Amino acid sequence: MEFIKKIIDQLNNLGSVGQFCVHLIGVILLLIAGFFVAKIAKRMIIKVLQRTHIDETLGQFLGKGAYWLILVIVVLACLSLFGIQTTSVAAIIAAAGLAVGLAFQGTLSNFAAGVMIIAFRPFKIHDVVTVDGQTGEVNEIDFFQTTLTTPDNRRIIVPNSKIFGSTIENVTASTTRRIDVAINISLNASTDETKKTLLAATQVEGALAEPASTATAVDLTESAIKWNISVWAKTSEFGAVREKLLLSIKKSLDDAKIETPSPQITVRNKS
């Protein structure tokens, strides 16, 4: 109430409607100018940091921080045009901030998590990640949420507190990935011939020579031997190489007439 009374007193001391209008026009122009300056500053900070090869994620975060800081300064300057002491405003904002903080603890936790994500960088923009059960490419890391785009082009917005407080899987953190394919081979097939055939099937376009591809027997059951085929590929080509590998394994086994046992169900009649 005391703050509102001060505003009324200042308005009464303007002297005339004309003077008040002049101040009002000045405030409007200052707000418009401040808005454009904030946007320009944001763009410049992002571009300068990109030219210096600083991470794009950090550049966008700092750019947005500068944007809001300039707007706050402009608002305080507008208040000072009416003769309102900014120290009083700051005290009121601090008191209101405490109340708002208690009411919006979740929002503040999202902000704190956003700062931690920027500081520790478990992922960056354009990385493909799995967070809070959602998988997609990181488009934007904001103060309160992170925006993902899924492979089927859906937009997912995840609160930062959900991300930083759970397991984060960064799919594209490394430049290479291993493709694993498991397959059951009949016990009647020659193990030497099977290993030779599976290794030959790994020679597909996009498969890396190093680390070398492998075909390993990993389990033995009553009806089959379980083999695991591993091939390394560039992360950007993972899906394409995996498809080629699956087709190559199928064709190689067919050409070599190596059987893969079908699932069997044994039914016993107690009578």
Side-chain angles (χ1 to χ4, degrees):
M1 293 299 292
E2 185 177 349
F3 174 68
I4 296 174
K5 184 179 178 182
K6 285 185 177 181
I7 294 178
I8 296 173
D9 292 337
Q10 293 295 335
L11 293 176
N12 290 332
N13 292 332
L14 288 176
S16 68
V17 176
Q19 188 177 0
F20 173 75
C21 291
V22 170
H23 282 78
L24 184 60
I25 293 172
V27 166
I28 293 174
L29 292 176
L30 184 59
L31 286 173
I32 295 173
F35 175 76
F36 283 105
V37 169
K39 289 190 70 174
I40 293 172
K42 176 184 173 182
R43 290 177 191 167
M44 289 184 61
I45 289 173
I46 294 175
K47 286 184 179 179
V48 169
L49 292 179
Q50 285 177 345
R51 290 175 184 172
T52 55
H53 303 290
I54 292 179
D55 183 45
E56 182 181 353
T57 305
L58 181 60
Q60 288 199 9
F61 195 85
L62 293 177
K64 287 184 178 180
Y67 175 84
W68 289 109
L69 178 61
I70 291 173
L71 289 184
V72 169
I73 293 173
V74 169
V75 171
L76 293 178
C78 290
L79 292 175
S80 65
L81 286 178
F82 288 104
I84 299 171
Q85 296 296 326
T86 55
T87 53
S88 302
V89 176
I92 292 173
I93 291 175
L98 178 60
V100 171
L102 295 175
F104 296 98
Q105 293 183 18
T107 302
L108 292 178
S109 66
N110 287 331
F111 176 81
V115 173
M116 299 300 285
I117 290 172
I118 295 299
F120 290 100
R121 298 190 193 182
F123 54 82
K124 59 184 182 298
I125 291 177
H126 302 310
D127 279 352
V128 177
V129 298
T130 298
V131 292
D132 195 34
Q134 303 291 338
T135 300
E137 179 182 350
V138 179
N139 278 339
E140 186 178 12
I141 302 174
D142 211 332
F143 286 107
F144 303 103
Q145 70 257 342
T146 295
T147 305
L148 309 177
T149 299
T150 63
D152 57 347
N153 209 28
R154 291 179 295 121
R155 182 62 57 90
I156 305 293
I157 299 175
V158 185
N160 286 335
S161 60
K162 292 282 188 180
I163 297 174
F164 200 74
S166 62
T167 302
I168 301 172
E169 179 185 356
N170 192 330
V171 179
T172 54
S174 301
T175 56
T176 59
R177 286 183 64 188
R178 191 180 71 189
I179 304 169
D180 292 319
V181 177
I183 188 170
N184 291 327
I185 301 297
S186 172
L187 290 175
N188 297 326
S190 167
T191 54
D192 292 338
E193 182 67 20
T194 300
K195 189 178 184 73
K196 179 181 177 181
T197 301
L198 293 176
L199 282 175
T202 62
Q203 305 304 308
V204 296
E205 182 183 359
L208 300 178
E210 292 293 336
S213 303
T214 61
T216 310
V218 294
D219 198 8
L220 177 65
T221 66
E222 294 179 356
S223 60
I225 296 179
K226 184 177 181 180
W227 291 79
N228 189 74
I229 302 95
S230 297
V231 171
W232 286 86
K234 293 181 180 178
T235 301
S236 58
E237 301 176 359
F238 179 86
V241 176
R242 187 176 189 276
E243 180 185 13
K244 293 175 183 177
L245 177 62
L246 292 173
L247 296 176
S248 178
I249 292 173
K250 175 65 170 62
K251 186 177 185 305
S252 298
L253 292 177
D254 288 345
D255 293 345
K257 294 181 171 49
I258 297 175
E259 297 180 355
T260 56
S262 301
Q264 298 179 352
I265 299 177
T266 302
V267 179
R268 294 186 177 88
N269 190 341
K270 291 185 178 180
S271 61

